[in-house]
Amino acid sequence: KSIIKHSKKRKFPIKVKLVISNNPKAKGINFAKKNEIDFEIIRSKKTNIFEKKVYQQLNKRKIKLICLAGFMKILSKNFINNFNNPILNIHPSLLPKYKGVNTHFKVLRNKDKYSGSTVHLVTPRLDSGKIILQRKVRVYKSDNVKSLEKKILKIEHGLYSEAIYKFLSNL
């Protein structure tokens, strides 16, 4: 939603052409509809079939950059290498700490003073690509998984768009 809002600004370096989800109830689909952006709902439990359909949609629209947001599937090495263009992801931790899932729980369990979010390049190794931008939030003793998740989500809205701008400015 935030990337679409930013993409409507005159100086933003990208135009959102397509939203893809495997969830027909995803909020991003409704937002795409409201903003007259093409969308596709691709549902398949088989990774190779799912990725083939995604790849076809990307090629059809000549997509040159993928921005993963709320995307809870791991793209295969084959897909990443064959796309041949940058894929960005936003992850709710200060990578390289806490790759994968349950990041907020891990932060709280380890009593970290800070957590945050990271926008990084996607590589075949999970959450290990080059870091483009990070933003920190303070973790308080009163925080729980839900409050930390909410705090981080709030900073992610501006962070992702900022990272896209920074990444494309450095190409």
Side-chain angles (χ1 to χ4, degrees):
K1 188 174 175 179
S2 179
I3 294 170
I4 291 171
K5 283 182 179 179
H6 280 92
S7 74
K8 292 180 177 284
K9 294 180 181 176
R10 200 167 54 105
K11 293 192 178 191
F12 200 67
I14 66 167
K15 180 179 188 269
V16 178
K17 294 183 182 179
L18 176 65
V19 173
I20 295 176
S21 179
N22 65 336
N23 178 2
K25 295 179 182 176
K27 291 178 183 177
I29 297 296
N30 289 332
F31 200 73
K33 284 180 192 175
K34 287 179 190 170
N35 286 275
E36 300 176 352
I37 295 170
D38 285 351
F39 65 91
E40 292 292 331
I41 298 164
I42 300 173
R43 297 178 75 165
S44 178
K45 292 187 190 275
K46 294 187 177 184
T47 300
N48 61 333
I49 293 170
F50 174 81
E51 289 183 350
K52 183 179 179 187
K53 290 179 179 182
V54 169
Y55 197 71
Q56 287 169 343
Q57 294 301 321
L58 298 173
N59 279 337
K60 180 177 162 182
R61 291 173 178 85
K62 298 179 174 59
I63 303 295
K64 300 287 184 222
L65 173 70
I66 297 174
C67 298
L68 302 174
F71 190 76
M72 298 304 289
K73 287 182 171 277
I74 296 173
L75 294 171
S76 73
K77 178 181 179 180
N78 190 41
F79 181 90
I80 294 165
N81 292 337
N82 287 334
F83 180 60
N84 234 2
N85 286 297
I87 303 172
L88 303 182
N89 184 44
I90 190 159
H91 183 76
S93 80
L94 295 172
L95 291 174
K97 270 187 148 181
Y98 311 124
K99 297 173 184 180
V101 296
N102 302 318
T103 58
H104 309 311
F105 171 78
K106 293 171 188 173
V107 165
L108 294 169
R109 178 191 62 205
N110 293 328
K111 296 179 173 51
D112 290 357
K113 291 182 180 178
Y114 293 94
S115 187
S117 187
T118 304
V119 177
H120 65 94
L121 274 170
V122 173
T123 65
R125 289 186 55 225
L126 182 67
D127 297 330
S128 297
K130 180 182 175 200
I131 292 171
I132 296 162
L133 204 57
Q134 291 183 314
R135 186 144 305 131
K136 283 191 221 181
V137 296
R138 184 81 166 99
V139 179
Y140 297 102
K141 289 180 182 176
S142 60
D143 276 318
N144 58 42
V145 170
K146 280 282 181 215
S147 67
L148 189 54
E149 179 181 358
K150 197 173 179 179
K151 203 184 298 188
I152 289 173
L153 189 59
K154 191 174 180 180
I155 65 162
E156 285 182 333
H157 293 295
L159 177 67
Y160 211 159
S161 294
E162 232 180 283
I164 291 167
Y165 191 82
K166 178 183 177 187
F167 177 73
L168 293 175
S169 297
N170 291 329
L171 287 182

